[in-house]
Amino acid sequence: KTGTYGDVDTAGDGWVNVPGKLKWVGSGRNILVGVNANDDIFYRAGITADTPTGTQWIHVAGKLANIDVHNAEAVGVNSASNIFRTAVVLFEDFEKDVSVETKGRCPETHPFVYYNGDYCCNSNLEKVYAPQGAKCDGSIISSTSLCCLKDGYTACTAKPCGNFQYNVQGTASSRSLTSNWQGIPGGLMKISEGLAGVWGVNTNQDIFRLNGDGKSWTHIGGKLVQISSGSEVWGVNAAGNIFMYVGGSNTWQQIPGGLSNVDVSNKGHVWGINAGQQIFRRTGNTWQLIGGAAIQVSVGESGVWVVNKNNDIFYKTGTYGDVPAPSFVLLWLLLKRGVRPDTLLL
């Protein structure tokens, strides 16, 4: 949907048809991932503020029936309900002939140190494969190495912090999906990852949340056929009822309306599709009807994207930025604490 790049709180403008055919898409930070009717995996390269619809589709090895993306990771499930994860990396836009070399310090984009500063990464949840000569993420010697989760890093607070040569190609906004799919124990039909963690539902409509160890699951009460993890967790059941996870004894709060597909972004923006293929956006406590027809929607930092019954792909213009005005309560607290009004970015 044009104008929705950046996960802003807006209905956007018109729909732009992006060439290609996909049955499911996931909108992440400067990347869109998706799978087609043959379970082939793709990501949209070149998504930036200047080119929110991207530049080209890149095929990634593997087969998945459902996929989602969050920050530096993508997760998916195949037709046999097997669960997988892989890394999303920076600095992979080799169409742009840009080379930046920094010696003796970690760039601000990759502030975490491994091997006493020999390698720099953009996350403390990554690992370098050595001694093959490949550094983490955008730090390339001979090839780009994938990173593993749950490895210990230290933040590069004092610079310079190591003896190495950091050589990158592309721009910091470039992102790509890697093909080193790693299995996660369990079995799911649908999966979603966001700020609220990794959630999924199985073929029995049971609901699960991935634990912090990255390999075990907690069963959550209720029954859903589709689930979305963002700043909150939303889902729909087989009857088209809509639910939001609230935890505690109630677990799920039913939301008025009826949807067959729902998605919530990391900034709390909720979009959905009903059984009649109508598109809706959550505004306050109501649903706003949006023109168009679709069967699946994804809202995230790369904007709002949908696919229709013919597997055509559309992007909605108009939501880049996501800079909400502060609440009156927050504004009052800031002013009470002596913050000058002219320093507030309203």
Side-chain angles (χ1 to χ4, degrees):
K1 179 105 167 115
T2 51
T4 61
Y5 176 84
D7 189 14
V8 296
D9 189 13
T10 176
D13 300 319
W15 291 102
V16 174
N17 181 212
V18 177
K21 293 281 186 178
L22 294 174
K23 66 177 181 180
W24 192 276
V25 293
S27 175
R29 182 180 301 171
N30 288 345
I31 190 171
L32 183 82
V33 297
V35 292
N36 67 12
N38 295 321
D39 290 353
D40 299 315
I41 307 165
F42 295 88
Y43 73 89
R44 188 70 176 171
I47 293 180
T48 67
D50 294 329
T51 57
T53 56
T55 56
Q56 62 178 324
W57 292 107
I58 305 295
H59 177 248
V60 176
K63 290 282 187 178
L64 292 175
N66 187 242
I67 193 170
D68 200 12
V69 62
H70 169 65
N71 287 344
E73 181 177 75
V75 292
V77 296
N78 65 13
S79 58
S81 296
N82 299 313
I83 311 166
F84 299 91
R85 72 189 337 155
T86 194
V88 174
V89 299
L90 297 172
F91 304 105
E92 287 295 311
D93 187 0
F94 293 105
E95 288 188 340
K96 297 180 180 179
D97 186 15
V98 179
S99 180
V100 180
E101 185 175 294
T102 306
K103 294 183 179 180
R105 67 177 59 203
C106 284
E108 293 182 359
T109 56
H110 287 60
F112 294 91
V113 183
Y114 189 62
Y115 286 144
N116 297 319
D118 290 339
Y119 304 110
C120 295
C121 282
N122 70 341
S123 169
N124 63 347
L125 299 177
E126 299 178 336
K127 179 179 179 180
V128 174
Y129 288 125
Q132 296 96 316
K135 297 180 184 179
C136 190
D137 282 3
S139 184
I140 301 167
I141 297 179
S142 58
S143 62
T144 301
S145 178
L146 297 174
C147 301
C148 296
L149 296 175
K150 306 303 179 186
D151 190 72
Y153 275 69
T154 57
C156 181
T157 56
K159 298 179 181 180
C161 51
N163 297 316
F164 62 91
Q165 177 173 303
Y166 186 87
N167 186 22
V168 302
Q169 288 182 295
T171 64
S173 61
S174 307
R175 301 180 74 84
S176 67
L177 181 66
T178 62
S179 60
N180 186 29
W181 296 99
Q182 305 293 318
I184 302 175
L188 296 174
M189 174 183 63
K190 291 286 192 300
I191 194 168
S192 180
E193 182 173 9
L195 285 177
V198 179
W199 291 65
V201 294
N202 66 12
T203 54
N204 294 322
Q205 303 174 25
D206 299 317
I207 307 162
F208 295 90
R209 179 184 60 211
L210 187 65
N211 295 324
D213 60 10
K215 59 184 179 181
S216 64
W217 298 86
T218 294
H219 176 250
I220 306 295
K223 293 282 187 179
L224 296 174
V225 295
Q226 186 257 322
I227 199 165
S228 175
S229 170
S231 62
E232 304 163 325
V233 178
W234 288 57
V236 295
N237 67 11
N241 299 315
I242 312 163
F243 295 91
M244 181 180 69
Y245 183 72
V246 294
S249 58
N250 294 325
T251 308
W252 297 96
Q253 174 188 341
Q254 185 169 351
I255 305 297
L259 296 174
S260 57
N261 175 254
V262 69
D263 199 55
V264 55
S265 78
N266 287 329
K267 297 179 181 179
H269 306 141
V270 182
W271 288 60
I273 311 290
N274 69 9
Q277 302 178 31
Q278 293 175 305
I279 306 168
F280 294 89
R281 164 182 172 256
R282 188 75 172 167
T283 58
N285 294 322
T286 63
W287 294 100
Q288 175 188 0
L289 179 64
I290 305 295
I295 60 172
Q296 189 254 328
V297 62
S298 181
V299 53
E301 290 91 336
S302 288
V304 177
W305 294 71
V306 299
V307 294
N308 66 15
K309 64 180 181 180
N310 298 317
N311 290 346
D312 299 316
I313 309 157
F314 294 88
Y315 166 79
K316 201 171 198 311
T317 60
T319 60
Y320 177 70
D322 198 12
V323 187
S327 68
F328 289 112
V329 174
L330 176 60
L331 183 59
W332 179 80
L333 287 172
L334 291 172
L335 294 175
K336 186 178 180 181
R337 292 181 180 182
V339 177
R340 289 169 37 214
D342 60 320
T343 64
L344 296 175
L345 296 175
L346 302 177

